[in-house]
Each structure stands twice: as C-alpha cells, then as structure tokens.
Amino acid sequence: MTAPRTKPHLSQTALRAMLTYDPESGEFRWKERDDVRSQWNGRYAGKVAGYAQRARGAVYWSVRIYDWPFHAGPLAWLYMTGSWPTALVDHRDLDGLNNRWRNLRQATKSQNAANTGPRRRNTTGFKGVSLCKKTGRYRANIALEGKQTHLGTFDEPEAAHQAYIAAAKAKSGDFARWSR
C-alpha cells in the first residue's frame, strides 16, 4: 500500500515561473518554460490555465499544478502577496470564476458564510427568514461563528427580513449579504 499523497508546497517564485496572473481580468496564463518538453510549450504556453470545477456546491476556477488542483483565488493571493492566505479567499460578487484581484478578500469561515445568498430550499425568498408552519408567523435567525441566534417572530416576511438585515450588518459588516 502506498502512502497518501499530500498537496505539494507551492511558493510564489515557483508559481511566477509557471504562470502569469492579470489582476484586472483574473486570468492565469501558462508561461513558456525550459523545464518541460518543447511539445508542452507548443501546446500550452500563452494559453489560459485552468478549468471550472464544482466544489462544495459552487463552481470555482482551478489550475492543475504538479498534478494537483489549486483554486485560482488562493493562487492569486499567493501570486500578489507572496504568501498563502491565512484564512479563506472570498469572492465579493459570489462568482467563483471571477478571480479579479479587486473581487478577492480574505475571510473567516463565518464571514465567507455571511457572503452568500438565500439557500435553494428557502421558501420565503428572504435570507435568514423561515415560516413557522405551526403559528403561520415568520422567524428571523442568523448564524455567526457556528451559533444560531433567534432574532424574533413576525407577522410579515418583510419585517423578519429587516430584522435579519440589521443583525447581518451589525455582525458581519462588509461581508453581510441578504440577497443574491
């Protein structure tokens, strides 16, 4: 039995030797390289690197390096700053394919979760709002750092949504999102 493979370490120097990154477009492109066969350069050099990959219910741009998939957001962070992100890389506009530098920011797991739209199964159309079938009233809840907080029950879904918005702004700041 072989030992499990671990993702290889990738430095900014190695990354910049293989790829270029355009912060305005968010695109990575393969560079012409001396450490590969000439056929590789003929096939890939100058072309966009990567592919769309579904992960955790979303689609992200990934680039295969050393036979491992790397998400483009953290790669852009490494390319631009010289170090790997200390937290998650959040896409401000929720588009995992948009890796423009101005669209990326570091985020905790909780901040990243705050920057999402309503869940697919949401029946009210408002993030953080659910219908209590027993009473016919609308519940507002918010989660932060893995803990659910009940914000109240309301006669109208819009009122529950306003309570959610106020709490989201207070708890999550710039990461708060209450609609798609």
Side-chain angles (χ1 to χ4, degrees):
M1 188 159 109
T2 61
R5 292 177 49 199
T6 57
K7 198 170 216 174
H9 173 73
L10 181 62
S11 68
Q12 182 191 42
T13 304
L15 178 62
R16 285 178 172 242
M18 290 183 246
L19 296 163
T20 60
Y21 170 68
D22 179 1
E24 289 301 311
S25 70
E27 267 185 0
F28 282 95
R29 289 190 176 270
W30 292 110
K31 281 183 158 181
E32 191 162 313
R33 297 167 41 196
D34 295 331
D35 63 334
V36 294
R37 289 190 255 164
S38 60
Q39 293 94 329
W40 188 94
N41 281 325
R43 186 172 182 184
Y44 297 107
K47 297 203 173 120
V48 173
Y51 54 94
Q53 178 184 36
R54 183 167 293 283
R56 298 181 302 276
V59 178
Y60 296 93
W61 195 257
S62 291
V63 179
R64 201 159 190 82
I65 301 173
Y66 303 136
D67 209 26
W68 281 87
F70 286 86
H71 285 308
L75 281 181
W77 199 270
L78 174 63
Y79 195 96
M80 296 296 285
T81 68
S83 60
W84 285 100
T86 56
L88 299 172
V89 174
D90 180 60
H91 293 80
R92 293 175 196 270
D93 67 358
L94 304 182
D95 182 358
L97 301 176
N98 178 2
N99 291 292
R100 291 176 177 89
W101 183 243
R102 68 179 173 272
N103 189 46
L104 304 176
R105 60 186 171 182
Q106 285 196 91
T108 65
K109 188 174 181 181
S110 185
Q111 289 169 326
N112 196 37
N115 185 28
T116 60
R119 301 278 182 223
R120 267 186 235 152
R121 292 181 10 194
N122 181 309
T123 57
T124 66
F126 297 107
K127 183 177 177 183
V129 177
S130 61
L131 175 64
C132 178
K133 291 181 183 176
K134 190 174 185 180
T135 64
R137 298 187 78 207
Y138 295 89
R139 251 187 310 240
N141 290 299
I142 191 166
L144 189 66
E145 304 298 337
K147 183 180 175 190
Q148 284 283 335
T149 301
H150 177 68
L151 303 172
T153 55
F154 303 85
D155 292 328
E156 301 297 325
E158 294 82 4
H161 187 55
Q162 290 306 312
Y164 175 83
I165 290 171
K169 285 180 180 178
K171 292 180 180 269
S172 302
D174 289 344
F175 289 89
R177 180 177 294 274
W178 44 88
S179 64
R180 184 75 172 114

